[in-house]
Amino acid sequence: RINKLEQILFQLVKDLQTDNESDTKVIVQNQSKIDLGRKEYQLAFELLKDENYETARVSFIKFIRLHQDSDFVDDTKYWLGETYYAQSLFAQALNEFEGVLTEFPNSGKMPESLLKKGFCYYELGEVEKSKQILKSVVNQYPDSSVSRLAVQKLKMIDSLIE
């Protein structure tokens, strides 16, 4: 009977060790998802900051293709939009900003993407649509930097219309 209890105890200890190893693997996998492509993302972002828009754009597109499971994909899509916007490619920029809004509804880049969507519509000549979006930025994100930028843009638009 003691031998049977020892066998059960041995099996429980073994199962516990296996569970701990599984937990460790999950933690490592989650950490690697966070780190997935971090260096590539940072390099592409540096290119954008250096106003090397075409190379940054290619790097962001490559990042999205290679690191679809990365936590940086939403930010990457936003910054890809910024590369287009900086070069007055407003339709392409709009497409990227809308992608952030639809594909990543919990993204930290939601406010900025909505703001830039409003800016793009203005640049594309759709002033009323732009104003509608900018007003929604003010309503959804009051007391924020995006709200202040939206108010500035609305004032600028109104001053041109008058």
Side-chain angles (χ1 to χ4, degrees), residues 22-77:
S22 295
D23 290 346
T24 302
K25 286 179 186 174
V26 169
I27 291 168
V28 169
Q29 287 172 343
N30 286 341
Q31 185 62 38
S32 65
K33 182 180 177 189
I34 291 168
D35 291 337
L36 189 61
R38 181 186 299 268
K39 288 179 185 171
E40 292 94 333
Y41 171 81
Q42 289 173 333
L43 289 171
F45 187 72
E46 289 301 318
L47 290 166
L48 174 64
K49 285 188 345 188
D50 291 340
E51 299 179 7
N52 193 342
Y53 300 119
E54 279 105 17
T55 308
R57 183 177 307 126
V58 169
S59 297
F60 285 133
I61 291 169
K62 182 179 176 183
F63 179 92
I64 292 167
R65 193 177 69 243
L66 294 176
H67 302 291
Q68 294 174 2
D69 291 333
S70 172
D71 290 338
F72 298 107
V73 173
D74 56 333
D75 288 5
T76 303
K77 200 159 185 58

Side-chain angles (χ1 to χ4, degrees), residues 6 16-17 22 34 39 64 71 95 116 132 150 155:
E6 286 177 339
L16 184 60
Q17 288 173 337
S22 295
I34 291 168
K39 288 179 185 171
I64 292 167
D71 290 338
N95 185 53
K116 285 302 188 124
Q132 177 186 358
K155 286 179 180 177

Side-chain angles (χ1 to χ4, degrees), residues 93-128:
L94 177 61
N95 185 53
E96 298 304 328
F97 297 133
E98 285 180 331
V100 174
L101 296 168
T102 58
E103 296 170 37
F104 304 99
N106 298 317
S107 171
K109 289 293 185 193
M110 289 287 289
E112 292 89 347
S113 295
L114 190 59
L115 175 72
K116 285 302 188 124
K117 181 178 174 180
F119 284 14
C120 286
Y121 274 117
Y122 173 78
E123 297 296 342
L124 292 168
E126 296 190 44
V127 176
E128 288 307 312

